[in-house]
Amino acid sequence: MTVFVDLCGFLRVYSDMKDQSTHSHRELELLAALRRLGGSARSADLARLLDVSEETVRRAIKSLAKAGVLQRVHGGAHLSGSQGDSSFFQRISEYSKQKRAIAKAVPDLIDRGLTVFLDVGSTTAFIAEELSLRSDLTFVTNSISVAQTLVSHEGNRVHILGGEMQNNERGAFGHVTETQARRYSYDVAILSADALSVRSGPLYLNAAEASLSEVVAECANQIILPVDHHKFNALAPHRGIDPQRVDVLLADQAPSADLATALQNWDVTLTICDGKT
């Protein structure tokens, strides 16, 4: 029995060595970086970490995907066999054109010197990319991806909240996260939602995310809600922030008449970001 275990161990080591011998130095660096980032990462984050171009990263990802070592997703990759983060990258890949159009409208709403909260939403990940080009800002987030995108850019400061990590959201939630969130005063909070209801306003699939949105809203002077039109009148079980607390709704298309009326009743400013201007 001991011989069998040792032989299996040898075969595993031999297999790993054989696999590594088939990959270039750049590909091995990328795999190591993915492991350090928890098994998943966006191409932009990998490029910054490895100090190479995104095109170089995309070529390495394509090669490794063909070898079955990792899986390509829109905007990034995750190691084959890794669990959790794939759902986050799947959400980013959905309606990415609309989300990017919404994201491009955000920098014009953020003045220098402000403290800004960003949550774990997939649209928020695109917003973080746009805000990474701005300077003299303080960011607070519970999102690993947002923190990775914003850190060490333009002299901005980035604070990441602690708490229990949820792999499928790539972020922290729970009592510790909410306690830390209350320690900040946010000039602007950018909060996502899984659905937008005529009756209840922002709705969430995750109860912990709904709870955190309420905590952050209590500490924010202004709330921006970026929502693509696929979430209009969609279904989700958990109520989040009071819709009357929302100041600006950013969307890629105009909502239905009943939802537009609700937004007016809540005194929410609607901005359509279709990417054409």
Side-chain angles (χ1 to χ4, degrees):
M1 185 67 177
T2 303
V3 174
F4 175 75
V5 172
D6 288 344
L7 178 59
C8 285
F10 168 78
L11 290 175
R12 283 195 297 270
V13 172
Y14 175 77
S15 177
D16 289 343
M17 293 174 62
K18 184 177 179 181
D19 288 342
Q20 289 189 14
S21 68
T22 63
H23 301 310
S24 69
H25 174 69
R26 180 66 68 205
E27 291 168 356
L28 293 176
E29 283 187 330
L30 187 144
L31 288 173
L34 275 173
R35 294 188 183 99
R36 289 200 299 274
L37 295 174
S40 300
R42 303 190 68 190
S43 298
D45 297 329
L46 289 166
R48 281 192 288 270
L49 183 61
L50 299 175
D51 194 23
V52 297
S53 68
E54 287 191 49
E55 182 58 33
T56 297
V57 168
R58 284 192 288 267
R59 285 198 300 268
I61 288 175
K62 183 177 181 180
S63 176
L64 291 167
K66 286 183 178 180
V69 179
L70 54 73
Q71 297 181 39
R72 298 172 65 189
V73 293
H74 181 82
H78 65 95
L79 294 173
S80 296
S82 64
Q83 301 296 320
D85 287 353
S86 58
S87 63
F88 171 82
F89 285 98
Q90 181 180 355
R91 292 199 306 275
I92 282 187
S93 67
E94 294 173 341
Y95 316 119
S96 59
K97 181 179 179 180
Q98 293 90 336
K99 293 173 182 179
R100 191 171 294 281
I102 293 171
K104 288 184 178 299
V106 174
D108 290 338
L109 304 177
I110 308 298
D111 295 329
R112 296 183 63 176
L114 299 186
T115 297
V116 182
F117 178 87
L118 298 98
D119 68 7
V120 300
S122 56
T123 303
T124 311
F126 289 103
I127 293 173
E129 290 185 359
E130 297 297 326
L131 291 178
S132 68
L133 303 177
R134 299 295 302 275
S135 60
D136 192 25
L137 293 170
T138 298
F139 296 106
V140 182
T141 184
N142 65 321
S143 165
I144 295 175
S145 297
V146 167
Q148 288 174 340
T149 298
L150 293 172
V151 71
S152 301
H153 277 275
E154 302 297 329
N156 294 316
R157 303 182 66 182
V158 178
H159 301 262
I160 185 165
L161 302 178
E164 183 176 0
M165 298 298 299
Q166 294 189 7
N167 285 344
N168 60 326
E169 300 290 352
R170 286 179 61 83
F173 295 92
H175 174 72
V176 173
T177 309
E178 293 177 8
T179 298
Q180 292 186 7
R182 287 190 178 95
R183 296 177 181 174
Y184 296 89
S185 175
Y186 311 108
D187 297 296
V188 179
I190 300 174
L191 301 173
S192 57
D194 296 307
L196 188 62
S197 162
V198 170
R199 175 176 296 181
S200 303
L203 298 175
Y204 297 84
L205 297 171
N206 184 322
E209 187 172 357
S211 179
L212 181 60
S213 74
E214 292 181 294
V215 170
V216 172
E218 293 173 359
C219 306
N221 293 328
Q222 183 184 39
I223 298 173
I224 297 175
L225 189 72
V227 179
D228 69 79
H229 74 278
H230 301 91
K231 297 177 181 178
F232 292 162
N233 297 314
L235 300 177
H238 303 288
R239 297 183 65 168
I241 57 176
D242 183 336
Q244 296 186 44
R245 294 294 312 276
V246 178
D247 296 285
V248 178
L249 177 75
L250 302 178
D252 60 303
Q253 289 185 20
S256 60
D258 56 347
L259 186 52
T261 299
L263 292 171
Q264 290 179 349
N265 293 336
W266 296 330
D267 196 24
V268 176
T269 299
L270 173 63
T271 300
I272 305 302
C273 317
D274 57 10
K276 295 179 181 179
T277 58

